[in-house]
Amino acid sequence: MEYPTLQRRPTRPVRVGPMTIGGSAPVSIQSMTNTFTRDVDATVAQIARLVEAGCDLVRVAVPTPADTAALPEILRQVAVPVVADVHFHFDRALEAVAAGVHKIRLNPGNIRDRATVRRVIDACRDRGVAIRVGVNEGSIVERADAAQRQAERAEPLVELMVRKMADYLAVFQQADFHDVVLSAKSPDAVTTVAAYRALAERYDYPLHLGVTHAGDVASGTIRSAAALGALLCEGIGDTLRISFAGDPVQEVLAGRELLWSLRLRERTEAEIIACPTCGRVEVDLERILHGVRAGLAGKGAGLRVAVMGCVVNGPGEAEGAHVAVCCGRGKGAIYIDGQPVRTVPEAQIVPALVEAVQRYATRPN
C-alpha cells in the first residue's frame, strides 16, 4: 500500500558545526538545558541525556560571564552542536562565539544598538557561527516609548512580527551575512502557524519551529503538535523545539514522535498502534500496551505492531501490521503478517508479543 508523502519547502542550507539546517537536510530536533550553564557537570550530564533521547542540537542559556566561561569545558565534553541563548547583553554573544559555540540565538529586539548587533555578526562570520534571529510575541512590542508601544499593540500581531523581522534582518543583509535561521513564536498555535507561513512566503532562510510558553507536557504536547504539525504538513520548517516546563528530555521525545508520525524521520523503534478501548474489551489493554511499549523500547525499527482489544477492528488492523495481538476474553491471538499463529492467555500476551516482534525483526529477508 502506497502512502502520500510530504513535500518540504526548499530553503538555503545553513551549517551549524557538523550538521546542516535547511537545504536537503532532515528536520532536526532541538531542546534547551534547564541547568545553570556555569554548572559544567550538571549541564554536560543533561546534554548527554538529551542526545541519548534523540536531540540533534542543544541550546544553553548564557546570562552571565560565568556561564560563557564554562562553555569551553562543556564543548570539550559533549558531542553535539551547542547554541548559546543570548538576550540583552551582546558581550555574552561575543564571549560565546570566542568559546567555540556553533550557533547563537539572538533576539535583536533586546539589543537596541544595531552597531552591537553588527559586532556579533562580524564575530560569527569570522568563526563560521550561524545565528538564529527570533521574534517572540512576548518581546515584540516596544516597551520604552509609550506612543510607539500603543501603536504597535494596535497593529495586527503577525504583521508586526514580520515587520520587525524585516527590520532586524536589514542589519544582516547589509552585512551580507546569510548564515541565518528564523523563528517567530507565540503561545497561540493559530498565530504561530500564521507567522511562519508569512515568513515562508517572504524568505528562503531555514525556519526553526516552536510554540513559546507551551505549558507542561500534557498541554504543551497538544499545543505544539497543533501548530508544528500543521506547518510541517505544509512543508514548512527545518528544525524544531517542542517546549515544556520541566524535563527537557520530554521535549525531545515529543519532537521525535511528531517527526516519526509525519514520516519526516525514520523510526528507531517499532511503531505501536492500539485501539482506544470500549465496553467490548475484556482484558486490561492499558496494562498490556504499557508492557509492550516498555518491552520494545529501542527495538523493532521499521515494524508496525498493533495492540487491539477485540475482534471488531482487531483483524483489520492486524492485516496492516507486521505483528499484532487481537484480544478476547482473557486471551489474545498473536498475528504475524495478518495471519493468526497462536493464542495465549492474558498473562502471557506481553512476553509473547514482544518475543514475536523480536523474532520478526531478526528473521532472514
Side-chain angles (χ1 to χ4, degrees):
M1 186 177 296
E2 184 175 348
Y3 293 94
T5 58
L6 300 179
Q7 298 299 317
R8 292 181 56 203
R9 157 185 169 266
T11 57
R12 68 170 66 205
V14 172
R15 293 288 299 176
V16 180
M19 67 177 290
T20 299
I21 295 176
S24 60
V27 179
S28 57
I29 299 172
Q30 300 190 27
S31 186
M32 185 172 182
T33 57
N34 58 15
T35 59
F36 291 116
T37 304
R38 57 187 174 272
D39 186 339
V40 172
D41 291 343
T43 301
V44 167
Q46 191 169 78
I47 291 175
R49 291 178 58 231
L50 292 170
V51 172
E52 183 179 7
C55 192
D56 302 303
L57 191 63
V58 178
R59 183 154 43 109
V60 299
V62 289
T64 73
D67 295 309
T68 52
L71 287 173
E73 181 58 26
I74 292 170
L75 290 163
R76 190 185 69 80
Q77 295 189 45
V78 303
V80 65
V82 173
V83 183
D85 190 73
V86 179
H87 291 275
F88 303 112
H89 302 293
F90 77 94
D91 286 329
R92 302 294 83 77
L94 296 176
E95 293 160 3
V97 171
V101 296
H102 306 92
K103 184 164 168 262
I104 294 289
R105 193 276 190 177
L106 193 66
N107 185 342
N110 289 334
I111 303 177
R112 296 184 177 279
D113 185 354
R114 293 294 186 262
T116 63
V117 177
R118 181 59 185 263
R119 288 183 61 188
V120 174
I121 291 172
D122 291 342
C124 288
R125 188 203 315 277
D126 291 343
R127 293 294 190 104
V129 176
I131 300 176
R132 172 156 73 93
V133 183
V135 293
N136 286 354
E137 178 181 340
S139 60
I140 197 69
V141 175
E142 169 64 33
R143 295 184 180 277
D145 186 313
Q148 183 179 345
R149 176 178 175 80
Q150 183 177 2
E152 290 182 349
R153 286 181 63 85
E155 188 174 348
L157 178 56
V158 172
E159 293 180 15
L160 176 63
M161 295 173 82
V162 174
R163 181 170 64 80
K164 287 293 185 80
M165 178 64 81
D167 178 47
Y168 300 158
L169 284 178
V171 183
F172 293 82
Q173 291 163 345
Q174 289 164 8
D176 196 25
F177 184 90
H178 301 286
D179 291 332
V180 173
V181 179
L182 308 184
S183 66
K185 297 184 180 182
S186 166
D188 178 74
V190 176
T191 300
T192 298
V193 170
Y196 278 104
R197 283 174 177 165
L199 292 184
E201 289 177 0
R202 184 163 182 166
Y203 302 107
D204 69 347
Y205 294 117
L207 299 179
H208 168 77
L209 302 185
V211 175
T212 191
H213 313 311
D216 60 11
V217 173
S219 64
T221 298
I222 302 299
R223 193 188 309 247
S224 296
L228 276 56
L231 290 164
L232 290 168
C233 282
E234 295 177 13
I236 297 173
D238 302 279
T239 182
L240 62 85
R241 178 192 177 192
I242 294 182
S243 303
F244 297 143
D247 184 357
V249 169
Q250 297 300 317
E251 300 180 350
V252 177
L253 298 178
R256 190 179 67 180
E257 183 61 40
L258 178 60
L259 295 182
W260 279 349
S261 297
L262 296 175
R263 286 184 278 114
L264 289 169
R265 178 174 288 207
E266 293 292 329
R267 285 184 178 270
T268 56
E269 60 189 36
E271 177 187 9
I272 301 175
I273 61 173
C275 69
T277 73
C278 67
R280 292 189 296 268
V281 176
E282 297 181 277
V283 296
D284 187 350
L285 196 73
E286 185 176 7
R287 180 192 63 78
I288 292 170
L289 175 61
H290 290 326
V292 171
R293 187 175 297 280
L296 294 180
K299 303 172 184 175
L303 301 184
R304 171 175 280 193
V305 178
V307 181
M308 308 305 294
C310 75
V311 297
V312 173
N313 293 318
E317 292 292 347
E319 289 180 1
H322 298 94
V323 183
V325 62
C326 298
C327 298
R329 180 180 295 177
K331 61 185 178 181
I334 306 296
Y335 283 68
I336 303 293
D337 287 332
Q339 301 298 317
V341 295
R342 62 185 291 211
T343 298
V344 298
E346 180 176 351
Q348 296 179 22
I349 289 176
V350 171
L353 192 63
V354 169
E355 179 188 19
V357 173
Q358 292 174 328
R359 285 180 178 273
Y360 194 107
T362 57
R363 70 181 186 176
N365 292 330

